[in-house]
Amino acid sequence: VQGVMTNDTTWTVFSSPYIVKGSVNVNSGVTLTIEAGVTVKFDGDFNLVIDGTLVARGTADKLITFTSNQTVKSAGNWGEIQFRDTSEDNNCLIQHAVIEYGTTGVNCSKASPTIANSTIQHHQNDGVYADCGNQSNGPLIQNNTISNNNNRGVRAQSCSNLVVTGNTITNNNGGGLSISRGTASVTKNNITNNSWNGVS
Protein backbone atom coordinates (compact mmCIF):
# COMPACT_ATOMS: atom_id res chain seq x y z
CA VAL A 1 0.00 0.00 0.00
CA GLN A 2 1.01 3.60 -0.64
CA GLY A 3 -0.35 6.91 -1.84
CA VAL A 4 -3.39 9.06 -1.08
CA MET A 5 -6.67 7.59 0.15
CA THR A 6 -9.65 9.43 -1.29
CA ASN A 7 -12.37 6.94 -0.26
CA ASP A 8 -13.24 5.21 3.01
CA THR A 9 -11.07 2.10 3.28
CA THR A 10 -10.83 -0.91 5.59
CA TRP A 11 -7.65 -2.90 6.09
CA THR A 12 -8.91 -6.39 6.90
CA VAL A 13 -7.32 -9.19 8.86
CA PHE A 14 -7.98 -11.42 5.84
CA SER A 15 -5.57 -9.33 3.72
CA SER A 16 -2.97 -8.83 6.49
CA PRO A 17 -0.07 -8.14 6.56
CA TYR A 18 -0.08 -4.81 4.74
CA ILE A 19 3.34 -3.78 3.42
CA VAL A 20 3.75 0.00 3.20
CA LYS A 21 5.89 0.78 0.13
CA GLY A 22 5.43 4.57 0.27
CA SER A 23 3.81 7.03 2.64
CA VAL A 24 0.04 6.67 3.02
CA ASN A 25 -2.07 9.82 3.39
CA VAL A 26 -5.69 9.57 4.55
CA ASN A 27 -7.41 12.61 3.07
CA SER A 28 -9.64 14.98 5.04
CA GLY A 29 -13.16 13.54 5.17
CA VAL A 30 -11.90 9.98 4.58
CA THR A 31 -11.81 7.17 7.17
CA LEU A 32 -9.25 4.38 7.33
CA THR A 33 -10.47 1.52 9.52
CA ILE A 34 -7.96 -1.13 10.59
CA GLU A 35 -9.43 -4.38 11.90
CA ALA A 36 -8.26 -6.15 15.04
CA GLY A 37 -5.39 -8.53 14.33
CA VAL A 38 -3.99 -6.63 11.32
CA THR A 39 -0.22 -6.19 10.95
CA VAL A 40 1.14 -3.17 9.06
CA LYS A 41 4.82 -3.39 8.03
CA PHE A 42 6.67 -0.30 6.80
CA ASP A 43 9.25 -1.07 4.12
CA GLY A 44 11.27 2.14 4.55
CA ASP A 45 11.16 5.69 5.86
CA PHE A 46 7.43 6.12 5.23
CA ASN A 47 4.62 7.66 7.29
CA LEU A 48 0.96 7.00 7.88
CA VAL A 49 -0.48 10.53 7.70
CA ILE A 50 -4.01 11.19 8.95
CA ASP A 51 -5.77 14.28 7.61
CA GLY A 52 -9.13 12.54 8.02
CA THR A 53 -9.97 9.71 10.43
CA LEU A 54 -8.07 6.64 11.63
CA VAL A 55 -9.96 3.99 13.57
CA ALA A 56 -7.46 1.31 14.60
CA ARG A 57 -9.36 -0.64 17.24
CA GLY A 58 -7.68 -3.87 18.22
CA THR A 59 -8.63 -6.09 21.13
CA ALA A 60 -6.63 -7.48 24.03
CA ASP A 61 -6.19 -10.81 22.22
CA LYS A 62 -6.07 -9.44 18.65
CA LEU A 63 -3.63 -6.55 18.61
CA ILE A 64 -3.00 -4.28 15.65
CA THR A 65 0.74 -4.08 14.95
CA PHE A 66 2.63 -1.26 13.23
CA THR A 67 6.22 -2.35 12.73
CA SER A 68 9.23 -2.51 10.44
CA ASN A 69 9.41 -4.82 7.44
CA GLN A 70 13.14 -5.34 7.95
CA THR A 71 14.44 -8.76 8.92
CA VAL A 72 16.58 -7.18 11.63
CA LYS A 73 14.42 -4.50 13.21
CA SER A 74 15.84 -1.37 14.83
CA ALA A 75 14.69 2.08 15.91
CA GLY A 76 14.17 4.39 12.95
CA ASN A 77 13.38 1.72 10.35
CA TRP A 78 10.29 3.71 9.28
CA GLY A 79 8.68 7.10 9.90
CA GLU A 80 5.67 7.69 12.14
CA ILE A 81 1.91 7.73 12.52
CA GLN A 82 1.09 11.41 12.13
CA PHE A 83 -2.23 13.06 12.97
CA ARG A 84 -2.52 16.54 11.45
CA ASP A 85 -4.70 19.57 12.01
CA THR A 86 -7.60 18.47 9.79
CA SER A 87 -7.90 15.02 11.37
CA GLU A 88 -11.22 14.28 13.08
CA ASP A 89 -10.15 14.53 16.72
CA ASN A 90 -13.28 13.04 18.26
CA ASN A 91 -13.17 9.99 16.01
CA CYS A 92 -9.46 9.17 15.69
CA LEU A 93 -8.49 6.16 17.78
CA ILE A 94 -5.55 3.81 18.26
CA GLN A 95 -6.44 1.11 20.79
CA HIS A 96 -4.87 -2.25 21.63
CA ALA A 97 -2.00 -1.75 19.20
CA VAL A 98 1.76 -2.26 19.12
CA ILE A 99 3.71 0.59 17.51
CA GLU A 100 7.44 -0.08 17.24
CA TYR A 101 10.74 0.67 15.47
CA GLY A 102 9.74 3.99 13.88
CA THR A 103 11.39 7.39 14.00
CA THR A 104 8.58 8.64 16.28
CA GLY A 105 5.71 6.43 17.39
CA VAL A 106 2.75 8.80 17.19
CA ASN A 107 3.09 12.47 16.22
CA CYS A 108 0.09 14.69 16.98
CA SER A 109 0.40 17.98 15.11
CA LYS A 110 -2.48 20.24 16.25
CA ALA A 111 -4.49 17.05 16.67
CA SER A 112 -6.12 15.22 19.57
CA PRO A 113 -6.58 11.49 18.92
CA THR A 114 -7.15 8.88 21.60
CA ILE A 115 -4.21 6.53 22.12
CA ALA A 116 -5.13 3.77 24.55
CA ASN A 117 -4.18 0.30 25.79
CA SER A 118 -1.22 0.14 23.43
CA THR A 119 2.52 -0.63 23.51
CA ILE A 120 4.73 2.08 22.00
CA GLN A 121 8.38 1.07 21.94
CA HIS A 122 11.82 1.15 20.32
CA HIS A 123 11.52 4.45 18.45
CA GLN A 124 14.43 6.63 17.43
CA ASN A 125 12.84 9.75 18.95
CA ASP A 126 9.76 10.06 21.19
CA GLY A 127 7.15 7.42 21.82
CA VAL A 128 4.37 10.02 21.61
CA TYR A 129 4.99 13.64 20.55
CA ALA A 130 2.31 16.34 20.55
CA ASP A 131 2.61 19.95 19.44
CA CYS A 132 -0.87 21.37 19.72
CA GLY A 133 0.07 24.89 18.64
CA ASN A 134 -2.34 26.38 21.22
CA GLN A 135 -5.17 25.55 18.82
CA SER A 136 -6.70 22.41 20.25
CA ASN A 137 -6.96 20.11 23.19
CA GLY A 138 -4.16 17.62 23.54
CA PRO A 139 -4.49 13.92 22.81
CA LEU A 140 -5.82 11.44 25.34
CA ILE A 141 -2.94 9.09 26.23
CA GLN A 142 -4.38 6.37 28.43
CA ASN A 143 -3.36 2.95 29.79
CA ASN A 144 -0.39 2.49 27.46
CA THR A 145 3.06 1.00 27.98
CA ILE A 146 5.59 3.43 26.50
CA SER A 147 9.13 2.12 26.79
CA ASN A 148 12.62 1.81 25.32
CA ASN A 149 12.43 4.90 23.12
CA ASN A 150 15.62 6.84 22.40
CA ASN A 151 14.13 10.18 23.43
CA ARG A 152 11.18 10.83 25.75
CA GLY A 153 8.34 8.48 26.38
CA VAL A 154 5.82 11.32 26.01
CA ARG A 155 6.70 14.87 24.97
CA ALA A 156 4.02 17.56 24.59
CA GLN A 157 3.95 21.31 24.14
CA SER A 158 1.39 24.08 23.73
CA CYS A 159 -1.57 21.77 24.46
CA SER A 160 -4.79 22.61 26.26
CA ASN A 161 -6.29 19.92 28.49
CA LEU A 162 -3.78 17.22 27.60
CA VAL A 163 -4.64 14.00 29.47
CA VAL A 164 -1.95 11.45 30.36
CA THR A 165 -3.38 8.80 32.65
CA GLY A 166 -2.80 5.19 33.67
CA ASN A 167 0.35 4.72 31.58
CA THR A 168 3.54 2.82 32.32
CA ILE A 169 6.41 4.97 31.01
CA THR A 170 9.73 3.21 31.48
CA ASN A 171 13.27 2.76 30.16
CA ASN A 172 13.20 5.78 27.83
CA ASN A 173 16.64 7.26 27.14
CA GLY A 174 15.56 10.90 26.89
CA GLY A 175 13.29 10.93 29.91
CA GLY A 176 9.82 9.86 30.93
CA LEU A 177 7.30 12.67 30.47
CA SER A 178 7.93 16.25 29.31
CA ILE A 179 5.16 18.87 29.12
CA SER A 180 5.74 22.52 28.29
CA ARG A 181 3.61 25.60 27.54
CA GLY A 182 0.17 24.20 28.22
CA THR A 183 -2.21 22.57 30.66
CA ALA A 184 -2.34 18.88 31.43
CA SER A 185 -3.99 16.29 33.64
CA VAL A 186 -1.32 13.77 34.63
CA THR A 187 -2.67 11.00 36.89
CA LYS A 188 -2.01 7.40 37.92
CA ASN A 189 1.07 6.92 35.72
CA ASN A 190 3.97 4.62 36.60
CA ILE A 191 7.08 6.53 35.46
CA THR A 192 10.26 4.58 36.30
CA ASN A 193 13.77 3.70 35.09
CA ASN A 194 13.98 6.51 32.54
CA SER A 195 17.06 8.72 32.16
CA TRP A 196 14.99 11.01 34.38
CA ASN A 197 11.55 10.45 35.83
CA GLY A 198 8.59 12.60 36.69
CA VAL A 199 7.22 15.56 34.77
CA SER A 200 9.38 18.38 33.47
Side-chain angles (χ1 to χ4, degrees):
V1 293
Q2 62 182 322
V4 178
M5 286 187 183
T6 57
N7 297 296
D8 292 350
T9 301
T10 299
W11 289 355
T12 66
V13 70
F14 177 80
S15 298
S16 179
Y18 288 80
I19 311 301
V20 179
K21 293 287 189 178
S23 289
V24 174
N25 189 305
V26 180
N27 263 2
S28 179
V30 173
T31 298
L32 170 62
T33 302
I34 303 179
E35 291 183 346
V38 166
T39 295
V40 182
K41 296 182 176 182
F42 291 79
D43 202 32
D45 187 21
F46 309 127
N47 301 324
L48 175 57
V49 180
I50 309 302
D51 287 317
T53 302
L54 173 66
V55 179
R57 184 184 286 109
T59 64
D61 59 344
K62 292 182 180 179
L63 300 174
I64 295 169
T65 301
F66 300 90
T67 190
S68 165
N69 196 40
Q70 303 304 311
T71 302
V72 178
K73 296 176 174 59
S74 61
N77 277 168
W78 57 282
E80 62 190 18
I81 300 173
Q82 183 183 115
F83 292 92
R84 298 202 294 200
D85 191 13
T86 61
S87 63
E88 296 290 337
D89 290 340
N90 293 334
N91 298 319
C92 285
L93 172 68
I94 298 175
Q95 186 173 37
H96 289 298
V98 176
I99 306 168
E100 59 185 8
Y101 299 113
T103 301
T104 298
V106 182
N107 183 345
C108 306
S109 179
K110 300 180 182 177
S112 307
T114 295
I115 305 161
N117 306 103
S118 295
T119 298
I120 302 170
Q121 62 187 4
H122 302 302
H123 295 287
Q124 189 174 49
N125 293 323
D126 304 310
V128 178
Y129 173 69
D131 184 351
C132 301
N134 296 315
Q135 295 187 20
S136 69
N137 293 331
L140 169 60
I141 304 168
Q142 183 175 36
N143 298 335
N144 303 286
T145 297
I146 303 171
S147 66
N148 297 292
N149 299 291
N150 287 341
N151 202 358
R152 290 162 175 77
V154 176
R155 181 161 63 105
Q157 60 186 21
S158 303
C159 293
S160 300
N161 302 317
L162 170 72
V163 177
V164 183
T165 184
N167 302 282
T168 297
I169 302 174
T170 186
N171 296 320
N172 296 287
N173 291 333
L177 174 60
S178 174
I179 299 172
S180 61
R181 300 192 305 277
T183 59
S185 172
V186 179
T187 59
K188 300 180 181 179
N189 299 287
N190 179 21
I191 304 175
T192 60
N193 297 323
N194 302 284
S195 60
W196 49 260
N197 299 310
V199 180
S200 73

